[in-house]
Amino acid sequence: IYAFDSTGGRVYRGNLDTTEATVVLASGAQSIIAASQASVGTVLTVLSNQSLGLFKPVSEDVEAITTQFPTSSVTLTDARIFANRLYTLDTQHGQIYRHTKNAELSFATGTEWITDNTDVRSAASFAIDGSIYVLNTNGEILKFNAGEKENWSVVQIDPALASGVKIVTDENTTHIYILDSANSRIVVFGKDGSLVNQYQSTTFAQAKDLLVDEVKKIMYVLSENSVYTVNIE
């Protein structure tokens, strides 16, 4: 498993059998502030200078992705690749941009994907399964189709979602997973908005990231300087 240090410019390789961690990249030039799987064996990264890269575990290096934006400056919070298109979340302008693919490491200038004026300046994370789910920092979850917000919501739970750190789902994942660090928990919803399960632990209070493997029925939670495993029931 790989972990990215958002302040120290390092990438760590963790051995799940021995629990040992090794620094494999320590350029110090640009830190990785967000990461998501781009394809099997590659990870899409958002760098601290608001550029994008592709991390390849085989070479254990980050290769630059070439693309542009319709504005002179952006604040990239998250990014995803889906169906050979790049999607980037710009919280400065409250927009998701869609970039068509030119080559492996080259995408066209992004165009505004949200068309109904829904503001996502408070977004913390987003996920794609054909629809796009946006998680706001206050725990609100929005669902979009074809650039427009749907009349969709998750059921009310107690305590209510108070924060949003990470949302995880994709076209191969049955449920939607929300990292709610304010309530020290991971909440699992069905894609119809129903409550499936909640996982609580004091270690989640400082959690920063979440990785889900439904096939192996395990979640990996990055909290402070440790990675924890959680069995999916």
Side-chain angles (χ1 to χ4, degrees):
I1 192 168
Y2 289 86
F4 304 94
D5 183 353
S6 61
T7 58
R10 298 181 180 88
V11 177
Y12 294 89
R13 184 207 311 126
N15 187 310
L16 296 176
D17 293 325
T18 66
T19 70
E20 294 178 349
T22 306
V23 176
V24 297
L25 183 64
S27 65
Q30 298 296 331
S31 298
I32 296 172
I33 60 175
S36 63
Q37 181 171 308
S39 61
V40 176
T42 62
V43 178
L44 176 65
T45 61
V46 179
L47 306 181
S48 55
N49 66 351
Q50 301 299 289
S51 66
L52 299 165
L54 198 66
F55 177 75
K56 296 185 176 181
V58 173
S59 60
E60 294 185 333
D61 197 8
V62 177
E63 298 183 42
I65 289 177
T66 301
T67 192
Q68 294 181 342
F69 300 91
T71 59
S72 58
S73 66
V74 293
T75 301
L76 299 181
T77 303
D78 205 355
R80 294 285 185 277
I81 290 178
F82 182 82
N84 279 328
R85 293 184 177 90
L86 169 67
Y87 294 82
T88 53
L89 172 61
D90 174 17
T91 52
Q92 179 179 336
H93 297 95
Q95 183 60 255
I96 293 174
Y97 303 115
R98 181 173 63 183
H99 312 247
T100 58
K101 188 174 184 178
N102 295 329
E104 180 186 7
L105 296 172
S106 176
F107 290 84
T109 300
T111 58
E112 294 186 352
W113 183 78
I114 297 177
T115 58
D116 64 358
N117 297 318
T118 301
D119 192 340
V120 293
R121 284 183 175 87
S122 298
S125 174
F126 76 103
I128 307 177
D129 68 356
S131 302
I132 290 184
Y133 302 85
V134 175
L135 173 66
N136 285 332
T137 54
N138 65 358
E140 180 185 24
I141 308 168
L142 308 176
K143 181 180 180 181
F144 293 84
N145 263 311
E148 296 187 354
K149 185 166 70 74
E150 281 196 0
N151 183 21
W152 175 93
S153 62
V154 296
V155 297
Q156 294 295 316
I157 59 176
D158 185 21
L161 285 172
S163 72
V165 177
K166 186 70 175 283
I167 182 170
V168 176
T169 196
D170 59 30
E171 70 277 20
N172 299 313
T173 302
T174 304
H175 300 128
I176 300 170
Y177 298 80
I178 304 295
L179 179 55
D180 175 19
S181 58
N183 287 306
S184 303
R185 65 183 174 177
I186 298 166
V187 186
V188 186
F189 293 103
K191 293 189 177 180
D192 60 356
S194 60
L195 177 65
V196 175
N197 210 338
Q198 297 187 66
Y199 301 83
Q200 292 185 298
S201 171
T202 55
T203 60
F204 299 161
Q206 303 299 323
K208 303 173 183 177
D209 207 351
L210 173 68
L211 178 67
V212 178
D213 187 336
E214 284 191 338
V215 175
K216 295 182 179 180
K217 295 187 178 299
I218 194 168
M219 295 184 286
Y220 300 91
V221 183
L222 176 64
S223 186
E224 295 187 299
N225 298 322
S226 300
V227 175
Y228 298 89
T229 59
V230 181
N231 293 324
I232 298 175
E233 298 177 358

